[in-house]
Amino acid sequence: MAGQASNGVNCNLVLAALLTSVGGFLAGYEVILFSACLIHIREELHLTVLWLQILGAIIYIGGCVASLSSGVLSEFFGRKFVIISSSVTYIVGAVVVATSYTQQQILAGRLITGLSLGAITMCVPIFLSEISTTTIRGPITILYYVLFSLGLLAVTLMGASLSTLPQGWRYMPVVGSFVALLQFGFFFFVPESPRWLISRGRVEEGREVLLSLRLKNYPSEAEVNSIKADVDANVDKRGFRNLFKAASVRKALLVGSLLQLSQAFSGFFTITLYSTTIVTMTGLAGRTGAMWVVTGIVSVGLCGLVVGLALVERVGRRPLVLASLLGIAISHLFVAITLHVLYDYSPGVQLPAADPQCEANTCSSCIYRSGCGFCFSGGAGDEQDTACVLADSADYYRRAVSGSCSNATLLGEGAYTFAYKWCPHPQTWLILFGISLQIFFYFLGVGPLAWTINSEIFPWWTRSMAVSITSAVNWAGCCVLGLSFLSLMEAIFMHGVFYLLTGVNLVFLLVFYFILPETAGVSLEDMEKLFRMHLGTLGLKKNRVASE
């Protein structure tokens, strides 16, 4: 009981945190939903590559817009209002996608869903942070990412199970809408954030809510008095116009924005968006088996999250973020070197090209020619009758326009294989190993902690506005990387993209070594004091404002 008394957590707090974190499940579910449906949607609706990129990016645009607007809405109408509204918006978007028969309808559905996810990612971490006690705030806010990872796992399992069912992809958004409906119904019984209530002058109501979320022997009255004192001392600062006036808030805003940008440029969202495509490019699984491989990769991420959850209050946020970025950089470098070696030692082309466009000496030089693929018989390491041939764009590059690889029967029987944008090699599994390693380190630190730290570091009078800005930075970063990923692959090849991601993550590691402070053990009311130190030494000086 001593441990319980020290952190003040009761059943009401745990239940409220779980119901709130359902928003994380929806966010994770939707992140990889498009990847799970991609192969089926593009064939059923005859989507061009341009439309695939537009549909992939539109959710980020919606998320960016909603993140910015949700800051204002949650400030004036409350956190609960925004979370309930996001459930309704998600249901509408999911139903539109599930019933779509044109690319324009799917575009509208994914835009609406993006609006929902933008509100979720902005408001849910704040709500979790504001209902938590100082000593347990890390695990409570990471609960959002626990449900996020379960959403990822659920949609990959469902995608794998429904991959052979005609129009099975339509069931996946419907399942997500049922989860959102459950959150919508039960969230009416979840109380509003006590800190938001007190900040709006509803002190007695806020006190009652906070007492209901704490054990009886926890010093809740002292917590209420601390919140009220902080509100009274800064009540004249409320409003967007004061956001950039305080130096401490500007520093926090810079740190929070860079954290979100580092999460976006970790490559996680782009890799998951194209996960089934990447798996099929390795040649280790076809269209029906790719989602099972992705499920295994996502499971590795869960392991990283469990480790991070166990360590977040013991070792702190800062060491986990730095270790995460270092691990991600090493993982990207491993994938880059593997891809580079496979590129340099790819099988040779034995047969003359039937089309001048596909003149090539090796598989690597072949697949990087626009519209060309590598045709061969035999297995990886024992390729025969190899040729560089023009791919059939009308059949989504699954076979060639002529020759043995244009014969669906030969391809179906496995007599021949058509490799579009990948080359056969016995060691292609190393690519998936490296990606699994990257996802492990992502979930260990920067994935969940970018949201956790952003929900902590801002004072109450600017928390909603500031987090809406940093969340929008995350969505914008994901959009930029998502839109440029395929173009970068064409320009500098896939190994070049991973070399680039390695460098970007190492730069973020260096920056955060100097400017990322430790926030564990600091109350939300004392967080502003932490950022009164010089920006370049925030990460170097030991935290002296930890709560008693």
Side-chain angles (χ1 to χ4, degrees):
M1 289 294 294
Q4 286 182 313
S6 65
N7 61 41
V9 177
N10 66 6
C11 293
N12 291 337
L13 175 57
V14 173
L15 184 59
L18 282 172
L19 288 172
T20 306
S21 298
V22 171
F25 181 93
L26 295 175
Y29 191 88
E30 191 64 35
V31 159
I32 210 167
L33 177 63
F34 185 66
S35 179
C37 299
L38 178 61
I39 296 174
H40 308 285
I41 291 176
R42 73 181 185 185
E43 295 177 9
E44 185 175 326
L45 302 183
H46 305 291
L47 299 177
T48 63
V49 173
L50 177 61
W51 264 104
L52 288 175
Q53 289 182 310
I54 292 173
L55 292 177
I58 191 64
I59 198 167
Y60 298 129
I61 296 172
C64 186
V65 172
S67 293
L68 291 172
S69 58
S70 295
V72 177
L73 293 174
S74 66
E75 179 66 25
F76 287 98
F77 299 105
R79 318 319 193 197
K80 184 175 177 178
F81 170 82
V82 172
I83 293 172
I84 290 176
S85 300
S86 70
S87 299
V88 176
T89 311
Y90 186 92
I91 293 169
V92 174
V95 171
V96 172
V97 170
T99 57
S100 295
Y101 287 92
T102 68
Q103 56 262 47
Q104 290 82 4
Q105 289 174 321
I106 289 190
L107 183 70
R110 281 183 60 77
L111 176 60
I112 296 170
T113 305
L115 294 173
S116 170
L117 298 189
I120 288 171
T121 54
M122 177 266 148
C123 203
V124 167
I126 288 181
F127 186 90
L128 291 172
S129 179
E130 290 182 341
I131 66 174
S132 304
T133 63
T134 300
T135 56
I136 203 70
R137 193 174 62 235
I140 289 292
T141 50
I142 287 180
L143 192 59
Y144 163 81
Y145 234 73
V146 172
L147 271 291
F148 178 94
S149 61
L150 291 177
L152 285 175
L153 187 61
V155 76
T156 54
L157 286 170
M158 190 172 300
S161 303
L162 300 176
S163 60
T164 57
L165 188 67
Q167 296 199 344
W169 67 270
R170 295 185 184 275
Y171 295 100
M172 288 187 272
V174 171
V175 171
S177 68
F178 277 116
V179 176
L181 183 61
L182 287 174
Q183 185 188 42
F184 172 78
F186 283 108
F187 212 76
F188 282 100
F189 301 99
V190 176
E192 179 57 270
S193 161
R195 283 180 165 83
W196 181 83
L197 290 169
I198 294 173
S199 73
R200 305 305 293 184
R202 297 154 64 176
V203 179
E204 287 306 315
E205 189 178 350
R207 176 182 282 109
E208 290 180 10
V209 170
L210 191 136
L211 291 174
S212 72
L213 299 174
R214 302 289 186 267
L215 289 173
K216 290 184 179 180
N217 57 351
Y218 187 78
S220 303
E221 283 297 335
E223 187 178 4
V224 171
N225 293 335
S226 175
I227 296 170
K228 188 175 184 303
D230 186 46
V231 169
D232 291 341
N234 297 284
V235 69
D236 59 330
K237 296 180 180 178
R238 177 187 277 128
F240 187 81
R241 64 181 182 277
N242 292 315
L243 179 61
F244 299 100
K245 287 186 178 180
S248 59
V249 176
R250 291 198 301 270
K251 294 173 192 173
L253 194 61
L254 177 62
V255 171
S257 297
L258 288 175
L259 262 175
Q260 295 287 27
L261 205 58
S262 72
Q263 192 204 63
F265 286 167
S266 70
F268 170 77
F269 288 102
T270 304
I271 289 171
T272 52
L273 180 64
Y274 297 107
S275 57
T276 54
T277 303
I278 292 173
V279 169
T280 54
M281 284 172 65
T282 64
L284 295 177
R287 52 180 294 179
T288 56
M291 284 309 300
W292 289 113
V293 177
V294 174
T295 300
I297 294 173
V298 170
S299 300
V300 174
L302 275 171
C303 297
L305 187 61
V306 170
V307 174
L309 188 62
L311 296 177
V312 65
E313 293 296 346
R314 295 181 184 179
V315 305
R317 281 68 151 155
R318 172 183 159 84
L320 285 178
V321 170
L322 296 180
S324 174
L325 288 170
L326 179 60
I328 290 171
I330 292 172
S331 304
H332 283 323
L333 182 61
F334 178 85
V335 174
I337 293 173
T338 302
L339 287 168
H340 204 158
V341 170
L342 295 182
Y343 177 87
D344 288 340
Y345 295 94
S346 66
V349 175
Q350 299 168 352
L351 302 178
D355 193 300
Q357 181 180 336
C358 298
E359 289 280 356
N361 295 322
T362 64
C363 176
S364 295
S365 59
C366 169
I367 64 172
Y368 283 108
R369 292 184 181 277
S370 179
C372 297
F374 187 70
C375 177
F376 66 96
S377 62
D382 185 32
E383 302 85 8
Q384 300 171 11
D385 300 326
T386 59
C388 185
V389 292
L390 197 63
D392 187 357
S393 59
D395 195 37
Y396 294 98
Y397 307 101
R398 289 183 300 180
R399 59 182 179 176
V401 296
S402 62
S404 300
C405 283
S406 65
N407 190 314
T409 302
L410 291 177
L411 292 173
E413 293 174 349
Y416 279 84
T417 303
F418 185 62
Y420 183 73
K421 294 301 180 186
W422 63 273
C423 287
H425 196 284
Q427 308 303 326
T428 50
W429 64 271
L430 289 172
I431 299 171
L432 298 185
F433 173 78
I435 290 175
S436 299
L437 202 62
Q438 184 265 342
I439 290 180
F440 174 88
F441 282 111
Y442 172 85
F443 276 96
L444 174 70
V446 73
L449 291 178
W451 299 107
T452 295
I453 295 171
N454 266 279
S455 69
E456 298 175 325
I457 58 178
F458 300 106
W460 70 268
W461 50 270
T462 190
R463 188 171 297 135
S464 297
M465 303 293 186
V467 172
S468 71
I469 292 173
T470 60
S471 298
V473 168
N474 184 296
W475 285 101
C478 289
C479 184
V480 169
L481 189 58
L483 283 173
S484 60
F485 188 74
L486 296 179
S487 299
L488 284 171
M489 280 178 55
E490 291 288 337
I492 59 176
F493 306 145
M494 187 178 286
H495 55 267
V497 173
F498 280 93
Y499 279 130
L500 180 62
L501 289 174
T502 300
V504 169
N505 281 275
L506 286 176
V507 169
F508 278 120
L509 173 65
L510 180 64
V511 170
F512 288 135
Y513 179 80
F514 291 100
I515 73 170
L516 181 64
E518 181 55 69
T519 59
V522 183
S523 73
L524 295 182
E525 287 65 48
D526 287 333
M527 201 65 70
E528 192 173 357
K529 300 175 186 176
L530 191 62
F531 284 88
R532 289 175 183 168
M533 294 185 288
H534 189 273
L535 179 65
T537 60
L538 280 173
L540 302 179
K541 292 186 178 180
K542 187 170 177 60
N543 177 350
R544 291 196 177 96
V545 293
S547 301
E548 297 291 324

